[in-house]
Amino acid sequence: MTEYSLTKATYPDIVSHLEACKNDFIPPLQETVNISSYAQKIKAKSITFEAWQSHRLIGLIAAYFNDPGNKFGFITNVSVEKGFAGQGIASNLLSRVIKYAQENKFNEIRLKVHARNTLAVALYRKHGFEKYGSEEDFELYRVFIS
């Protein structure tokens, strides 16, 4: 059974999860960030929306909601271990992020996704995200919170 939590993961949990998922990113995560440093930043500065199974972190969305003056959040990571894909975990986590933004009076959530990551784009569109720009091989998406 999948359990969901908020900001429970430790730094080692996050590193282990990112290592398990690193080759599922487009491009692979280790080509764009130092996984250890990225995990430290996620732990220190983001709100983590987590899916757990048998005390193992299997799904993670990390979002920065640290600029309440501008009233927008930024999703920096969405990942679900390959063996758990297709079970609605990412969708459930994304719904929780949107609910968090609503409850905390944020107006918008933004993210950046590789243009070739069609599964991620479909997930974001399902949750109301719309493309508003691009940077090289990446597309910028946002959803307005009502």
Side-chain angles (χ1 to χ4, degrees), residues 7-23:
T7 314
K8 175 180 134 184
T10 64
Y11 165 74
D13 292 328
I14 296 169
V15 170
S16 178
H17 174 76
L18 293 175
E19 285 287 343
C21 297
K22 68 184 178 185
N23 293 317

Side-chain angles (χ1 to χ4, degrees), residues 66-144:
N66 48 11
D67 191 1
N70 286 326
K71 294 292 185 193
F72 74 85
F74 183 83
I75 293 174
T76 185
N77 179 81
V78 177
S79 52
V80 174
E81 283 190 27
K82 196 169 226 147
F84 299 93
Q87 298 179 22
I89 293 169
S91 190
N92 189 312
L93 290 170
L94 194 51
S95 293
R96 290 167 186 266
V97 174
I98 292 167
K99 183 178 180 193
Y100 178 93
Q102 289 170 328
E103 289 172 350
N104 289 278
K105 309 225 182 309
F106 281 81
N107 299 326
E108 182 180 350
I109 302 170
R110 299 177 186 172
L111 58 83
K112 184 164 77 169
V113 62
H114 197 281
R116 289 191 331 246
N117 195 340
T118 56
L119 288 174
V121 168
L123 171 70
Y124 304 142
R125 288 189 180 277
K126 174 181 160 186
H127 286 272
F129 283 78
E130 296 180 352
K131 183 178 173 182
Y132 73 96
S134 58
E135 293 176 359
E136 294 183 24
D137 295 334
F138 292 87
E139 296 177 339
L140 307 175
Y141 280 82
R142 68 180 169 199
V143 64
F144 292 104

Side-chain angles (χ1 to χ4, degrees), residues 39-60:
Q40 284 178 325
K41 184 177 178 185
I42 286 172
K43 180 63 182 162
K45 300 187 180 210
S46 75
I47 307 279
T48 54
F49 301 81
E50 307 156 359
W52 296 84
Q53 204 161 80
S54 300
H55 305 287
R56 187 167 116 217
L57 182 63
I58 60 164
L60 175 69

